[in-house]
C-alpha cells in the first residue's frame, strides 16, 4: 500500500465546498464523491508551523514544542526560527524510513535540516537557496533547479495583487512540475504541499469569498485543482490519496490588540527594541522608529497602516531594515504577548525568564487568575459582548514535556482577531482575514468509504498513515487512526491497529549517529 | 510509479548471532518490527548526507531573510 498526501495550505470548506459543488473545482468535487470528507481540526494556535509539525508527529504542541514560527530563549532578547532541530519527537516520515519505506517530502514546513535520507525540497520556513536532498538530486531531476520556495514580494509591496497572484501560480506550477517527476521515484508516502492557497487568501480572502470563481485570484485554486486531478489519475490501485489543509481561513471584523490591553491594565511597559538585526551581517542599514512616535498618537495612527508597506519596500529596494518592534520593558512588565501567532499571554515569571519579576508559586498563580478573570469579563465596547470564547490556563490546552514553552494563558475568540503590535487603540474595526480552527480533509482510495463524511483532527493523520502502511502507531501519539473513514472490507478496516510502546528508539539512534558524525568517528 | 526499482530488492548480510539477539531484545515494543529494519535504519542514517549537525540550522543573515519573508506574507508581525 502507498499513500499520497496533498496539502492545500489554509484551505477552508467555506470557500472550497461551494466552488466544488458548482463544478468549478472538478477534481476536488470528484474526490469528495469518491472518498470520505470532513473538517480537519487544526491545533491551537492554528498556525502553519505548529500545525504541520502536529501533522508530522501526530502530537499536540505540548509534546513537540513548536507553537509558532519562532521561539524565545529565557533572555527574551531575540526570537529564533523553528527548524527540524527544535522540535521534539519522531515524525511519521522517520518512522516510515526506519522501516525501509521511503518518503518524498515536497514543501513540508519545519522539516529542514532533513532528519532522514528522504527526497526533500525546502519550504517557506527555510532560507532562500536551501538545498534539495539528497545532494545531487537536482542533477538527476534538472527541473528542481527552477524550484522556488517563495513568490516575489515586489508586486505585493506595490499592491499589484494580480501580478502577485500570477507569481504565486508560477511558484506552484514549477512545484507541480517537480512533483510530477519525483512521483516516478520509489516511495511509500509522497507528500506535496501547495502553499499558494494560503498566500493568496492572506491578501485576497474577502474578494475570493465575495466573487468566488469570478475573482481574478480564483485561478490559483483552479490550477491547484488541476494538479490534484493529475495525481488522482496517476494514483495506482494500491494507493490512498489524502487531501488536507493545516488550518482554515476566515474574516474577522473586529480586532483586539492584546498588548495595548495589557498596557492599559498596568501589566506591561514598553521601551525601544534593544536587539536589532546585525547591520554588518545583514549588509544593510538598520533604522529604529523611536518610542516618541508611539507616544504621539495622531501621528502613530496615521503612520501604522503605511508601516508594513514601507518596511517591505525599503528592505526589498534599498536593503534598509526598518524596525518598529517594541520590546516589553522586562524590569517593569508582569505580562506580555510575545508573538500574536501564539494567541496567548506570557507571564514574566522569575523561574522562566532571566529578567522575570513575578515570583513563582502563589504570586504567579494569583496574577494568572487575576488576568484570566479580567480577560473572561472583557467585553467589546461596540457590541457589549465578551471578546474571548475561551480563556484557559496552558495546562488545560497542552500536555507533554514541552507544554511549559507555551504562553501561560491561552485565548480563543470567535469574533475578534488577536494582534500583538501597538496600534494606539485596544480595539479596531478594520477587517482582517486570518486563519480559522478548521481546515479540510478528504481520504480517498481503496481503503476509504465513498461519499461519506467524517470530521477529524490534524493529529489523526500521522497514526492513520502509519496504519494504512501497516505499521504500528507509537502510543505517545495524541491522534487516533481514522477507522471510521475506512471502507468495510478494505485491508485497513480488516487489519487490527497495532501500537508500539514509544518512538524513543528512533530518536536515540538518530542523535547518537549524528553525535558520532559530528565527532568525525563515522 | 516505479515499484520494481533497485531499492526494493533485498539481500542478506551476516551479523553475529549474539548481536542479532541483543537487537531483537532491544526493539521489543518499539516501532521497529524486525532486526533487519533496525540495522537498515542505522546504516541509512550513517550514510545519509545530512547537513552538519550540532551547528545552528541557519546563520543570522538567513534567519533574518526568512523572518522578513514570513512578515511580508503576514505570517509574522
Amino acid at each position: 500500500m502507498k499513500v499520497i498526501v496533498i496539502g492545500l495550505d489554509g484551505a477552508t470548506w467555506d470557500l472550497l465546498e461551494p466552488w466544488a459543488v458548482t463544478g468549478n473545482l472538478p477534481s476536488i468535487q470528484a474526490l469528495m464523491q469518491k472518498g470520505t470528507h470532513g473538517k480537519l481540526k487544526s491545533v491551537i494556535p492554528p498556525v502553519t508551523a505548529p500545525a504541520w509539525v502536529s501533522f508530522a508527529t501526530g502530537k499536540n504542541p505540548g509534546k513537540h514544542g513548536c507553537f509558532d514560527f519562532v521561539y524565545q530563549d529565557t533572555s527574551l532578547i531575540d526570537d529564533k526560527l523553528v527548524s527540524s532541530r527544535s522540535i521534539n519527537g519522531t515524525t511519521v516520515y522517520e518512522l516510515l524510513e526506519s522501516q525501509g519505506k521511503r518518503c518524498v517530502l515536497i514543501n513540508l514546513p519545519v522539516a529542514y535540516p532533513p532528519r532522514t535520507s528522504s527526497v526533500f525540497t525546502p519550504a517557506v520556513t527555510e532560507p532562500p537557496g536551501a538545498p534539495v536532498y539528497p545532494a545531487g538530486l537536482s542533477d538527476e531531476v534538472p527541473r528542481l533547479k527552477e524550484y522556488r520556495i517563495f513568490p516575489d514580494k515586489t508586486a505585493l509591496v506595490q499592491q499589484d495583487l494580480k501580478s502577485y497572484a500570477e507569481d504565486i501560480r508560477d511558484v506552484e506550477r514549477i512545484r507541480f512540475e517537480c512533483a510530477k517527476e519525483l512521483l516516478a521515484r520509489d516511495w511509500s508516502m509522497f507528500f506535496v504541499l501547495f502553499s499558494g492557497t494560503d498566500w493568496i487568501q492572506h491578501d485576497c480572502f474577502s474578494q475570493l469569498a465575495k466573487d468566488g470563481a469570478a475573482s481574478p485570484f480564483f485561478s490559483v485554486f483552479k490550477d491547484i485543482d488541476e494538479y490534484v486531478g493529475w495525481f488522482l489519475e496517476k494514483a495506482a490501485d494500491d494507493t490512498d490519496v489524502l487531501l488536507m489543509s493545516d488550518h482554515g481561513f476566515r474574516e474577522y471584523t473586529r480586532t483586539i490588540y492584546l498588548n495595548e490591553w495589557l498596557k492599559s491594565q498596568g501589566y506591561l511597559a514598553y521601551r525601544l527594541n534593544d536587539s536589532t538585526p546585525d547591520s554588518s551581517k545583514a549588509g544593510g542599514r538598520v533604522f529604529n522608529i523611536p518610542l516618541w512616535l508611539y507616544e504621539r498618537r495622531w501621528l502613530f495612527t496615521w503612520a501604522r497602516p503605511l508601516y508594513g508597506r514601507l518596511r517591505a519596500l525599503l528592505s526589498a529596494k534599498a536593503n534598509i531594515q526598518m524596525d518598529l518592534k517594541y520590546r516589553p520593558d522586562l524590569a517593569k512588565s508582569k505580562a506580555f504577548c510575545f508573538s500574536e501567532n501564539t494567541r496567548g499571554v506570557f507571564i514574566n515569571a522569575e523561574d522562566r525568564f532571566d529578567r522575570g519579576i513575578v515570583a513563582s508559586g502563589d504570586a504567579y498563580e494569583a496574577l494568572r487568575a487575576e488576568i484570566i478573570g479580567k480577560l473572561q469579563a472583557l467585553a467589546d465596547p461596540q457590541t457589549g459582548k465578551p471578546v474571548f470564547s475561551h480563556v484557559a490556563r496552558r495546562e488545560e490546552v497542552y500536555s507533554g514535556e514541552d507544554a511549559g514553552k507555551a504562553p501561560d494563558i491561552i485565548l480563543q475568540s470567535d469574533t475578534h482577531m488577536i494582534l500583538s503590535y501597538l496600534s494606539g487603540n485596544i480595539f479596531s474595526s478594520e477587517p482582517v482575514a486570518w486563519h480559522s480552527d478548521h481546515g479540510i480533509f478528504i481520504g480517498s482510495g481503496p481503503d476509504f468509504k465513498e461519499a461519506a463524511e467524517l470530521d477529524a483532527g490534524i493529529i489523526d493523520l500521522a497514526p492513520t498513515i502509519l496504519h494504512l502502511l501497516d505499521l504500528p502507531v507509537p502510543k505517545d501519539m495524541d491522534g487516533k487512526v481514522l477507522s471510521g473513514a475506512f471502507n468495510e472490507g478494505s485491508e485497513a478496516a480488516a487489519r487490527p491497529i497495532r501500537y508500539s510502546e514509544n518512538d524513543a528508539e528512533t530518536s536515540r539512534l538518530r542523535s547518537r549517529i549524528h553525535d558520532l558524525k559530528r565527532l568525525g568517528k563515522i | 510509479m516505479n515499484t520494481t526499482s533497485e531499492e526494493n530488492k533485498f539481500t542478506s548480510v551476516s551479523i553475529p548471532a549474539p548481536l542479532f539477539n541483543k537487537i531483537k531484545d532491544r526493539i521489543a515494543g518499539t516501532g521497529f518490527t524486525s532486526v533487519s529494519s533496525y540495522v537498515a535504519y542505522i546504516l541509512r542514517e550513517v550514510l545519509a548526507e545530512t547537513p552538519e549537525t550540532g551547528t545552528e540550522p541557519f546563520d543570522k543573515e538567513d534567519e533574518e531573510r526568512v523572518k522578513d519573508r514570513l512578515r511580508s506574507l503576514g505570517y509574522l508581525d
Side-chain angles (χ1 to χ4, degrees):
Chain A
M1 204 64 204
K2 295 174 160 197
V3 177
I4 296 176
V5 183
I6 306 172
L8 307 185
D9 205 293
T12 168
W13 285 127
D14 290 349
L15 295 188
L16 260 54
E17 191 159 24
W19 296 345
V21 296
T22 52
N24 284 299
L25 297 176
S27 307
I28 291 174
Q29 184 184 28
L31 255 184
M32 288 166 77
Q33 287 162 357
K34 272 180 59 186
T36 300
H37 76 277
K39 288 182 187 169
L40 193 68
K41 190 167 190 253
S42 187
V43 293
I44 298 173
V47 168
T48 297
W52 284 113
V53 176
S54 284
F55 159 79
T57 58
K59 292 175 184 173
N60 88 91
K63 285 185 184 164
H64 61 61
C66 176
F67 297 88
D68 191 355
F69 289 100
V70 292
Y71 64 96
Q72 293 81 35
D73 62 16
T74 56
S75 73
L76 290 175
I77 287 174
D78 200 4
D79 39 20
K80 286 186 178 305
L81 277 179
V82 293
S83 75
S84 68
R85 297 206 185 128
S86 58
I87 61 172
N88 277 332
T90 309
T91 57
V92 64
Y93 50 88
E94 288 166 275
L95 292 165
L96 295 177
E97 292 273 352
S98 73
Q99 299 302 312
K101 294 183 186 292
R102 311 312 308 272
C103 299
V104 173
L105 306 174
I106 301 172
N107 193 30
L108 177 62
V110 206
Y112 176 87
R115 287 179 166 199
T116 66
S117 53
S118 304
V119 167
F120 169 91
T121 74
V124 72
T125 44
E126 275 90 71
V132 298
Y133 285 91
L137 181 65
S138 49
D139 294 326
E140 286 175 53
V141 184
R143 182 79 70 175
L144 282 166
K145 290 174 182 162
E146 296 169 43
Y147 182 86
R148 292 165 64 196
I149 300 176
F150 188 69
D152 184 349
K153 64 189 179 188
T154 311
L156 182 62
V157 171
Q158 292 163 347
Q159 292 290 295
D160 179 359
L161 292 173
K162 281 186 187 167
S163 300
Y164 180 57
E166 286 307 306
D167 198 49
I168 289 175
R169 292 176 71 190
D170 194 53
V171 170
E172 298 303 14
R173 182 186 56 75
I174 296 166
R175 191 178 343 259
F176 172 59
E177 294 295 334
C178 294
K180 275 163 80 174
E181 297 197 32
L182 294 173
L183 196 76
R185 297 182 77 86
D186 176 45
W187 51 267
S188 293
M189 180 176 86
F190 185 96
F191 175 92
V192 57
L193 168 64
F194 294 103
S195 301
T197 40
D198 187 65
W199 296 339
I200 198 69
Q201 289 181 124
H202 267 279
D203 290 284
C204 307
F205 183 82
S206 57
Q207 199 181 0
L208 283 160
K210 185 162 65 74
D211 298 338
S215 159
F217 312 117
F218 176 71
S219 50
V220 173
F221 289 84
K222 184 79 186 157
D223 286 356
I224 292 172
D225 183 74
E226 281 176 31
Y227 306 156
V228 170
W230 184 87
F231 283 108
L232 284 181
E233 226 171 74
K234 293 289 169 188
D237 292 342
D238 66 345
T239 305
D240 289 315
V241 178
L242 309 183
L243 185 81
M244 56 155 313
S245 64
D246 53 336
H247 53 76
F249 227 91
R250 59 166 289 193
E251 195 164 69
Y252 298 82
T253 51
R254 292 282 287 165
T255 295
I256 176 162
Y257 298 91
L258 193 55
N259 279 332
E260 289 282 4
W261 180 83
L262 288 165
K263 189 167 168 286
S264 74
Q265 301 297 307
Y267 297 123
L268 172 62
Y270 270 102
R271 66 191 176 88
L272 272 177
N273 185 359
D274 57 0
S275 140
T276 54
D278 183 331
S279 57
S280 60
K281 274 191 186 165
R285 287 179 289 166
V286 178
F287 277 85
N288 268 313
I289 306 297
L291 199 56
W292 67 259
L293 180 64
Y294 174 64
E295 284 161 357
R296 284 155 184 80
R297 290 300 166 90
W298 62 271
L299 188 58
F300 187 82
T301 311
W302 170 83
R304 176 73 219 185
L306 293 177
Y307 161 69
R309 286 181 64 185
L310 191 60
R311 184 185 198 286
L313 193 68
L314 287 174
S315 169
K317 296 289 180 194
N319 202 16
I320 291 173
Q321 311 301 322
M322 202 168 85
D323 196 336
L324 188 66
K325 192 157 186 173
Y326 300 122
R327 295 284 167 152
D329 185 340
L330 294 170
K332 293 178 187 164
S333 295
K334 290 181 179 173
F336 45 81
C337 171
F338 209 88
S339 161
E340 59 205 25
N341 282 334
T342 55
R343 330 294 281 166
V345 177
F346 289 86
I347 290 177
N348 193 16
E350 274 179 357
D351 58 356
R352 179 168 189 179
F353 299 117
D354 298 349
R355 289 173 285 175
I357 60 167
V358 178
S360 57
D362 291 347
Y364 165 85
E365 285 302 346
L367 177 65
R368 186 158 73 148
E370 179 185 300
I371 298 174
I372 286 175
K374 286 187 183 182
L375 287 168
Q376 282 170 334
L378 182 65
D380 187 324
Q382 197 179 71
T383 61
K385 291 184 178 161
V387 173
F388 299 108
S389 52
H390 206 53
V391 182
R393 288 169 171 78
R394 69 162 175 244
E395 57 271 26
E396 296 170 62
V397 177
Y398 301 114
S399 63
E401 61 185 55
D402 277 346
K405 293 179 180 173
D408 300 87
I409 301 167
I410 310 295
L411 302 170
Q412 285 180 279
S413 176
D414 296 333
T415 49
H416 287 65
M417 178 71 185
I418 304 168
L419 292 177
S420 63
Y421 65 75
L422 296 179
S423 71
N425 299 300
I426 296 173
F427 293 98
S428 84
S429 289
E430 197 183 333
V432 182
W434 199 71
H435 305 170
S436 64
D437 295 333
H438 288 87
I440 66 158
F441 168 72
I442 309 178
S444 147
D447 287 311
F448 286 90
K449 288 179 185 163
E450 284 187 22
E453 290 187 32
L454 182 81
D455 290 341
I458 197 165
I459 54 173
D460 298 329
L461 295 180
T464 301
I465 292 166
L466 288 170
H467 180 72
L468 289 171
L469 296 176
D470 196 14
L471 289 181
V473 178
K475 281 185 179 165
D476 63 350
M477 281 191 175
D478 295 311
K480 302 276 172 275
V481 175
L482 293 171
S483 314
F486 296 151
N487 193 11
E488 277 177 43
S490 67
E491 282 180 30
R495 187 190 304 139
I497 299 167
R498 291 182 293 143
Y499 293 94
S500 56
E501 271 312 307
N502 55 55
D503 64 15
E505 184 66 9
T506 325
S507 304
R508 253 197 309 270
L509 281 180
R510 193 185 61 233
S511 75
R512 177 93 181 103
I513 290 165
H514 285 197
D515 285 348
L516 290 170
K517 279 187 177 179
R518 195 176 68 242
L519 294 169
K521 292 192 175 175
I522 50 176
Chain B
M1 277 165 269
N2 185 355
T3 53
T4 55
S5 76
E6 191 64 25
E7 290 190 32
N8 276 355
K9 290 179 187 165
F10 288 85
T11 188
S12 304
V13 174
S14 302
I15 60 169
L19 179 61
F20 182 92
N21 291 330
K22 220 170 159 182
I23 296 173
K24 206 172 158 192
D25 291 345
R26 190 179 173 99
I27 64 174
T30 72
F32 290 98
T33 50
S34 69
V35 172
S36 295
S37 66
Y38 188 85
V39 172
Y41 177 76
I42 292 173
L43 294 178
R44 263 205 202 95
E45 282 291 310
V46 169
L47 297 174
E49 291 175 48
T50 48
E52 193 63 30
T53 54
T55 55
E56 290 292 324
F58 313 110
D59 64 27
K60 193 72 193 158
E61 188 178 344
D62 276 346
E63 189 148 339
E64 285 309 318
R65 285 160 80 193
V66 176
K67 282 185 199 170
D68 194 36
R69 199 166 61 182
L70 294 172
R71 279 184 205 111
S72 77
L73 283 173
Y75 285 9
L76 272 184
D77 182 37

